[in-house]
Amino acid sequence: MNQDVRAGRGAVLPRALVVRRLLERQQAGELSTRHVRAVAETVGVSERTVWRWLEQAKASGRVEAPVRQGYAVSDEVWELLGEVGGNVSELRRRLVAAGGEVPVPSMSTLCRVIRRDRRAGRPLLTGREPEVAGVRRADPLSELGLNVVAERGAGGQVFLREQKHLAQVPVLVPDAQVVHTPAVRSVLRTVAHAAAVGAVVWLYGDAGQGKTVALQYALSQLPHPARVRRVHVGVHPTVPELRRVLAEALELGRRLPRGAGEADLMLVDALRQPRVLVLDEAQRLPGPALEFLRGLWDHPDTDTALVLAGAGSERALRRVPALASRVLTWELVPRLSPREVATVMAAFHPLWEDVSEDDVVWVDEHVGHGNFRTWAKLTSHLTAEIYGKSRAVVDRRLLERACARLMGPL
């Protein structure tokens, strides 16, 4: 309760004055329930609250409201945070195990205060030795708890051949692998960074370049995938429609209140825990919807990273400069370069391992054009063509027949 309390007719009464008058009545033996009830109705609080004020005044000898001190992370706790590599969950577990006179705050409070301090520029000391000339910096993914098993292809490029389908390709392609191209690796780092610090990032690029595949894979590699919430939006949703799909993504379990203010408070409360909100096809969002997302992310009580992606979405963001100024990383997912295509396709699907490099170059010049989605569709056609054939060979004639299916009407 604040130092001053507001009376029913609009006057503001100091809490000290109210408590002092009640104590005087109590000391004179004249205090009754009707006095407490009258004060409670006048200042707009419950009778129980007024009785608590009296008990606090008698125990402390002070009639003023106690000053509420917000939780602050001490230097010792901040040093422990560095020892656990910035992992707030591990930090709180150690604080609870250690006990002590100072009560351990809730997870949401601890995350909010640490996030506030880090945004204010408080350095996180991880205990690692400073980098010197000739010493390679540790992989940032390892620092974030993301272990990546990579292998090097021709030309020193790094690719990842996953045995499990952690990310789906745009078209169903049996035996396809997630290829750790430089673009995928960059998206992986960007999403990990955003999730770690609660930032806004934007993935953009032409349609079919592999943004969704790279994003899905990056999300699957986060240390806490359960915190990821994908928000599926329609074309040009209104703000009420965006509220509804956000509530569904956050699994609130009941309908939002009719009032916009109450509905927003419910969303803010759900976002107090660390989350990663992901909106693909962000180019569908109009200016008011983007501004609404900015307000949620900016709210002091929310702790969420915001990942937006979509072909042409960077043009939609120009209408909301307030959100654009808060984007930590602009991540362009480019098309495959001609020198990458052969190596990437061989890593993507075993079907391309025996195709000559000249044929791959021919396909890219006539149909592929470095577009990953086009290459995935072509792979799907080829796997259907050779299915059930024991000694099928992917030659130029078969490639021409498959490419013709992708050309469309002239």
Side-chain angles (χ1 to χ4, degrees):
M1 174 58 70
N2 296 330
Q3 184 72 22
D4 296 338
V5 290
R6 185 171 296 279
R9 295 183 180 179
V12 178
L13 300 176
R15 168 175 163 174
L17 176 62
V18 172
V19 174
R20 188 178 295 111
R21 292 291 185 269
L22 292 174
L23 285 175
E24 291 173 357
R25 286 281 184 176
Q26 191 176 48
Q27 291 172 359
E30 300 174 355
L31 182 65
S32 65
T33 303
R34 65 185 181 86
H35 294 117
V36 175
R37 184 179 300 117
V39 168
E41 292 175 355
T42 301
V43 301
V45 298
S46 66
E47 295 180 38
R48 183 177 178 180
T49 297
V50 177
W51 285 115
R52 189 178 72 250
W53 290 351
L54 290 174
E55 292 298 324
Q56 290 174 350
K58 288 190 291 184
S60 64
R62 298 174 58 87
V63 295
E64 297 86 2
V67 179
R68 296 182 62 181
Q69 299 289 343
Y71 178 76
V73 179
S74 65
D75 292 340
E76 292 78 9
V77 174
W78 195 261
E79 184 178 350
L80 181 59
L81 176 65
E83 292 178 5
V84 298
N87 189 321
V88 184
S89 298
E90 176 63 16
L91 171 67
R92 189 173 187 278
R93 188 189 68 79
R94 294 195 183 188
L95 292 176
V96 172
E101 298 180 358
V102 179
V104 179
S106 65
M107 185 66 182
S108 60
T109 298
L110 196 58
C111 288
R112 185 177 69 253
V113 174
I114 290 174
R115 183 183 180 189
R116 178 198 64 199
D117 288 359
R118 295 195 67 176
R119 284 183 173 178
R122 190 175 184 180
L124 182 62
L125 303 177
T126 59
R128 296 184 178 89
E129 293 297 327
E131 184 181 9
V132 296
V135 179
R136 185 179 178 182
R137 182 189 296 271
D139 189 346
L141 295 178
S142 299
E143 296 176 0
L144 294 170
L146 305 177
N147 296 321
V148 178
V149 180
E151 57 185 43
R152 291 195 172 271
Q157 295 174 325
V158 180
F159 304 101
L160 186 69
R161 301 287 300 268
E162 284 294 323
Q163 299 304 315
K164 297 181 179 179
H165 293 278
L166 297 177
Q168 298 177 352
V169 294
V171 180
L172 178 62
V173 183
D175 299 324
Q177 308 289 338
V178 177
V179 186
H180 206 190
T181 63
V184 171
R185 186 177 180 85
S186 182
V187 171
L188 186 63
R189 294 176 183 275
T190 295
V191 172
H193 185 193
V197 300
V200 181
V201 297
W202 209 285
L203 275 61
Y204 68 102
D206 293 337
Q209 308 292 58
K211 294 181 297 300
T212 299
V213 171
L215 178 57
Q216 288 177 338
Y217 177 72
L219 294 173
S220 72
Q221 296 297 289
L222 292 177
H224 305 287
R227 296 177 182 173
V228 176
R229 292 292 183 270
R230 292 178 175 85
V231 183
H232 301 283
V233 296
V235 178
H236 291 284
T238 63
V239 171
E241 290 172 341
L242 183 57
R243 285 194 186 97
R244 178 180 57 78
V245 296
L246 282 170
E248 292 176 355
L250 294 170
E251 301 176 349
L252 296 184
R254 58 191 180 91
R255 294 182 59 185
L256 289 173
R258 289 180 178 271
E262 295 179 357
D264 291 349
L265 286 176
M266 183 177 294
L267 292 175
V268 168
D269 187 62
L271 293 173
R272 292 178 188 274
Q273 295 292 333
R275 305 277 191 188
V276 179
L277 288 183
V278 181
L279 288 91
D280 205 353
E281 306 297 340
Q283 71 276 7
R284 299 175 177 177
L285 296 173
L290 290 171
E291 180 61 32
F292 177 75
L293 287 174
R294 182 203 63 78
L296 278 181
W297 181 84
D298 251 356
H299 196 284
D301 289 338
T302 59
D303 186 5
T304 182
L306 194 57
V307 180
L308 300 107
S313 58
E314 72 280 6
R315 295 188 291 272
L317 190 58
R318 292 173 187 166
R319 300 191 295 268
V320 189
L323 178 58
S325 67
R326 287 162 171 79
V327 175
L328 175 67
T329 304
W330 293 88
E331 184 71 36
L332 171 64
V333 180
R335 66 177 65 244
L336 296 172
S337 66
R339 61 183 179 82
E340 286 182 302
V341 171
T343 310
V344 170
M345 287 302 106
F348 172 67
H349 197 280
L351 177 148
W352 296 103
E353 293 177 353
D354 298 327
V355 178
S356 69
E357 187 172 342
D358 290 341
D359 285 344
V360 173
V361 171
W362 179 87
V363 172
D364 192 55
E365 289 177 350
H366 287 77
V367 178
H369 307 300
N371 187 288
F372 187 83
R373 183 178 297 163
T374 301
W375 278 98
K377 290 190 290 185
L378 182 62
T379 306
S380 182
H381 280 300
L382 292 172
T383 54
E385 285 276 357
I386 65 176
Y387 179 77
K389 299 178 181 179
S390 58
R391 301 184 64 181
V393 177
V394 180
D395 53 15
R396 178 66 65 88
R397 203 166 97 184
L398 187 60
L399 288 171
E400 290 175 350
R401 190 160 64 243
C403 288
R405 297 183 178 184
L406 300 180
M407 297 297 290
L410 300 177

